[in-house]
Structures are given as C-alpha cells and as structure tokens.
Amino acid sequence: MLIINFLGFILCGWDKRKAVKHQWRVPEKHFFILALAGAGPGILAGMYTFRHKTRHKKFIIGIPVMILIDCTVIFTLWKIWR
C-alpha cells in the first residue's frame, strides 16, 4: 500500500510539472484507476501538496469517494474472511 500511494503522490507532482510546462499530461482516468487500486490517499495528498486538480469537482469529490470504496471493500473482505 505504501508503494502504490507513493506512486500516486509522485504522479500528481509529475502531472503538475507537465501542466506548468504545457507538455503531455497524464489522462484523468489514470488517476481514478490508480485511486481505485488503493492509491487514493497518496493522490489526495499529492493534489493538495502540489496544488494540482484542486479546482476540479471531479477530483475533490471523486478521489475521497474512491478511498471510501477501497475502505468498504477491505472492511467487507476482512469481515468475510475473519
């Protein structure tokens, strides 16, 4: 989990740098796929650290929703397999 969250954090910084330089950007769907795979906290931290995508409602609402979905899935699987 630490590695995927670190990658999400770095991806936000890298995309922000590309945005400032008007270069090729990371597609938004990649952020959401990575968040659904467990990198939501890292992406959220990257968003606010680098001030990136913080004006997009899709990200302000979507990334925390992905975190809640991940937590719900983990909790449900833990309850089933416990």
Side-chain angles (χ1 to χ4, degrees):
M1 290 302 286
L2 288 174
I3 293 170
I4 196 165
N5 277 286
F6 181 71
L7 289 174
F9 182 82
I10 295 300
L11 187 66
C12 282
W14 187 62
D15 192 51
K16 175 66 176 196
R17 184 173 179 182
K18 295 291 187 176
V20 169
K21 293 182 174 189
H22 302 289
Q23 294 177 344
W24 176 86
R25 306 276 305 279
V26 176
E28 290 183 350
K29 68 179 178 180
H30 291 180
F31 285 101
F32 288 104
I33 291 168
L34 199 58
L36 196 57
I43 292 172
L44 194 63
M47 283 172 52
Y48 288 101
T49 299
F50 302 112
R51 295 186 186 125
H52 187 53
K53 306 269 189 205
T54 55
R55 293 185 182 190
H56 299 271
K57 287 185 182 183
K58 184 180 352 180
F59 279 85
I60 293 170
I61 296 168
I63 298 301
V65 167
M66 296 294 178
I67 293 170
L68 288 175
I69 290 170
D70 286 342
C71 290
T72 303
V73 168
I74 290 168
F75 180 74
T76 303
L77 291 174
W78 179 75
K79 290 291 268 187
I80 290 170
W81 291 335
R82 186 175 71 123

